[in-house]
Amino acid sequence: MRWLFSVGLLALTLLAAWVQALSTSGTRLLVVLDDSTEKGSYSKFWEDLEARGYKLSFESPKNEKLSLFQHGARAYDHLILFPPRSKGLGPALTPKLLLQFLNNAGNILLTLSSNSPTPSAISSLLLELGINLPSDRTSLVVDHFNYDTVSAPEKHDVVLLPRPGPLRPDVKNYFGGRDTDVIAFPRGVGQVLENTSPHLAPVLRAPNTAYAYNPKDEAGAVEDPFAVGQQLNLVSTMQARNSARFTVLGSMEMLEDTWFNAKVKSSSREAKQTTTANRAFAAEISAWTFMETGVLKVDKIEHSLRSIEPGEKPGNDSLARLGDLNPKIYRVKNDVIFTISISEYSLTHYVPLTLPASDTLQLEFSMLSPFHRLPLHPTQTTQNSTIFTTTFTLPDQHGIFNFRVNYKRPFLTNIDEKRTVTVRHFAHDEWPRSWKISGGWPWIAGVGVTIAGWVGFVGVWLWSEPAFEKGKGKKRQ
């Protein structure tokens, strides 16, 4: 019996480890591929996804039974869209249904190619998300200074790029890799992002010498290109308010087996032949899109009194007791301590959240507008989370207040946690007595002098009766 128990315990442990190695939002992955014969060209990409626990389903956009939803719920957790050879993606993949899929916390990886004209439905969907594509639908990104001399010595349409750097100093870089890595971007489509949307973030930008043009009209396109240099985004991302993720990969061919370990050589004079890092980059971009990295989780939120003033009554029901966690009511000018524990999912398990040196997690204590906006400092690290803490004094204003942590950064899921409390004014027996206030001593002394003077006056008046002479009195008749 013992060996049966041991085998069962081992099986449960392996099952738990397998489940932990999966995406935080599910493992059902739908791949929409127009031509089934092209499936073998991406075998290494499929192997990497299956090794990470995904259950792949391949469907054609022409399949009439294809549906993203079943009984009102998502039928799949993630979606990979390859560019179709026809003009559309079919009735099951309209822009409205794809947006509905995003609104239901589904994640989408969209690939483009200059060899396949982008359907108008995809262009309108991207335009609604703030991502602009060339209007000619067959635009191509080229670079005459950073191209592969082995595969594109004449057309210069295989752009070689280094690993992307951090978007901002306060943003983590999930796609950095090694400095010597080279990414091959063959025959891709560039995108331009709206500057006003906080949900959009570029991952891979084109070099300064790259531009996009229409190969069918070369003479006119060179004079008026769609975009040039850093304006062109080769890989773009969008994260919705519900943290659903949408990634646009400008080159479908960069996922092919040919480019996963291809030998390339840059056009610069001192360049040497090197192996591409497309496989590692594809794993990183798919891991982020399918919620394997950059996923934050709030484990615990606590707030309580830090201390009480001498003379206060901790037993009063209307006063938060020292040591009580998350009380519903505080008093003005109380000293409060606030803590929040946050974890970050990293491929297989949760790890403590580590912020960049230039980034800060903040707490807002607000009514209609913030009364306090304070930095939260990491004070303790556990095996799976980081505990951030701050202390402050409540404002001299009673009402309904919120402890709010609103943390939104590119490539990280959104955190917007709110805890509502009541802040009351002083009770009648909590005000300090007058003799404890030094500024009131002259007035107290004046009252004492007045009372003493009145008592003295009354005493003097009572003991100062006028004297009468003897023998004198009223005359009688």
Side-chain angles (χ1 to χ4, degrees):
M1 295 296 293
R2 290 184 177 179
W3 70 271
L4 286 175
F5 177 77
S6 301
V7 171
L9 184 61
L10 179 61
L12 289 176
T13 304
L14 293 176
L15 180 61
W18 173 256
V19 172
Q20 231 183 7
L22 305 180
S23 167
T24 56
S25 60
T27 60
R28 300 171 299 175
L29 175 58
L30 173 64
V31 181
V32 179
L33 194 61
D34 195 358
D35 190 356
S36 59
T37 58
E38 296 180 353
K39 179 180 175 181
S41 302
Y42 308 92
S43 59
K44 294 181 180 179
F45 185 52
W46 311 139
E47 290 174 2
D48 292 345
L49 291 174
E50 290 175 344
R52 280 151 46 195
Y54 291 101
K55 301 175 183 177
L56 275 61
S57 301
F58 295 89
E59 295 288 349
S60 170
K62 302 176 183 178
N63 187 358
E64 298 180 354
K65 297 183 179 180
L66 176 62
S67 177
L68 298 177
F69 301 93
Q70 186 176 10
H71 305 300
R74 290 197 328 259
Y76 303 95
D77 303 308
H78 316 286
L79 177 63
I80 298 179
L81 291 175
F82 281 81
R85 300 189 181 278
S86 57
K87 295 184 179 180
L89 288 173
L93 299 171
T94 62
K96 182 179 180 180
L97 290 174
L98 292 176
L99 286 177
Q100 186 179 351
F101 186 76
L102 285 173
N103 291 333
N104 282 269
N107 306 301
I108 300 177
L109 174 61
L110 172 67
T111 63
L112 303 175
S113 176
S114 61
N115 295 328
S116 301
T118 305
S120 57
I122 294 298
S123 299
S124 61
L125 171 65
L126 295 179
L127 188 61
E128 190 168 350
L129 298 178
I131 303 173
N132 299 310
L133 296 180
S135 57
D136 50 32
R137 301 196 302 168
T138 56
S139 180
L140 177 67
V141 177
V142 297
D143 190 337
H144 302 300
F145 297 91
N146 300 282
Y147 62 91
D148 179 26
T149 58
V150 178
S151 60
E154 297 180 359
K155 294 185 177 181
H156 304 172
D157 54 359
V158 179
V159 183
L160 300 182
L161 307 104
R163 285 283 196 152
L167 182 63
R168 299 195 311 248
D170 61 337
V171 175
K172 283 188 175 183
N173 185 9
Y174 293 94
F175 319 100
R178 297 177 300 179
D179 295 337
T180 57
D181 287 348
V182 175
I183 299 174
F185 190 81
R187 290 169 284 279
V189 179
Q191 315 104 45
V192 175
L193 306 183
E194 289 185 359
N195 297 327
T196 57
S197 177
H199 305 287
L200 298 173
V203 173
L204 191 63
R205 288 191 173 105
N208 293 328
T209 52
Y211 63 94
Y213 79 108
N214 187 357
K216 297 179 180 180
D217 190 14
E218 295 186 10
V222 173
E223 296 179 0
D224 188 17
F226 168 69
V228 297
Q230 296 285 313
Q231 297 174 345
L232 278 171
N233 296 288
L234 308 180
V235 180
S236 308
T237 62
M238 190 281 298
Q239 184 169 259
R241 291 186 177 91
N242 63 351
S243 296
R245 292 172 173 178
F246 187 97
T247 300
V248 181
L249 194 65
S251 174
M252 172 186 67
E253 295 182 26
M254 70 181 300
L255 300 178
E256 293 181 354
D257 298 345
T258 306
W259 293 103
F260 266 20
N261 296 304
K263 298 292 184 179
V264 294
K265 183 179 180 182
S266 178
S267 55
S268 60
R269 295 181 179 179
E270 300 179 356
K272 298 180 180 179
Q273 197 172 38
T274 182
T275 304
T276 63
N278 284 30
R279 187 167 191 171
F281 181 75
E284 292 166 358
I285 196 68
S286 61
W288 181 87
T289 306
F290 301 149
M291 309 287 282
E292 295 180 61
T293 57
V295 179
L296 302 182
K297 182 183 71 170
V298 176
D299 299 312
K300 182 173 59 176
I301 294 179
E302 292 179 351
H303 54 86
S304 62
L305 281 177
R306 183 185 181 189
S307 63
I308 59 175
E309 297 294 334
E312 288 185 343
K313 301 177 181 179
N316 191 343
D317 291 338
S318 63
L319 180 69
R321 296 179 178 86
L322 186 63
D324 287 355
L325 293 178
N326 305 326
K328 296 296 183 182
I329 186 169
Y330 288 100
R331 195 209 65 201
V332 296
K333 296 185 178 180
N334 274 150
D335 290 330
V336 176
I337 181 170
F338 179 89
T339 61
I340 182 171
S341 176
I342 303 178
S343 304
E344 179 183 359
Y345 194 78
S346 178
L347 295 177
T348 60
H349 60 286
Y350 281 99
V351 297
L353 173 64
T354 303
L355 298 180
S358 57
D359 193 15
T360 304
L361 184 68
Q362 291 184 333
L363 167 70
E364 292 182 359
F365 190 72
S366 59
M367 187 183 291
L368 295 177
S369 59
F371 277 68
H372 290 292
R373 185 176 283 120
L374 306 166
L376 288 161
H377 303 287
T379 56
Q380 185 180 354
T381 301
T382 64
Q383 184 178 1
N384 299 321
S385 64
T386 302
I387 299 176
F388 298 86
T389 307
T390 189
T391 58
F392 65 100
T393 302
L394 297 182
D396 190 8
Q397 173 69 45
H398 65 277
I400 307 298
F401 285 82
N402 294 310
F403 292 98
R404 186 183 183 188
V405 178
N406 186 14
Y407 184 74
K408 297 177 181 178
R409 297 292 185 275
F411 309 123
L412 289 174
T413 54
N414 301 325
I415 291 180
D416 192 358
E417 296 289 338
K418 187 185 297 184
R419 299 293 185 270
T420 303
V421 295
T422 301
V423 177
R424 63 175 180 83
H425 51 69
F426 281 95
H428 69 281
D429 60 346
E430 292 176 340
W431 294 98
R433 298 302 179 183
S434 56
W435 56 80
K436 294 183 178 180
I437 303 175
S438 59
W441 291 351
W443 307 100
I444 296 174
V447 172
V449 170
T450 301
I451 294 175
W454 172 253
V455 172
F457 169 76
V458 171
V460 171
W461 184 79
L462 290 176
W463 294 100
S464 299
E465 182 181 358
F468 292 96
E469 295 182 4
K470 295 182 179 180
K472 292 185 178 182
K474 293 183 180 181
K475 294 181 178 181
R476 295 182 178 177
Q477 295 291 337

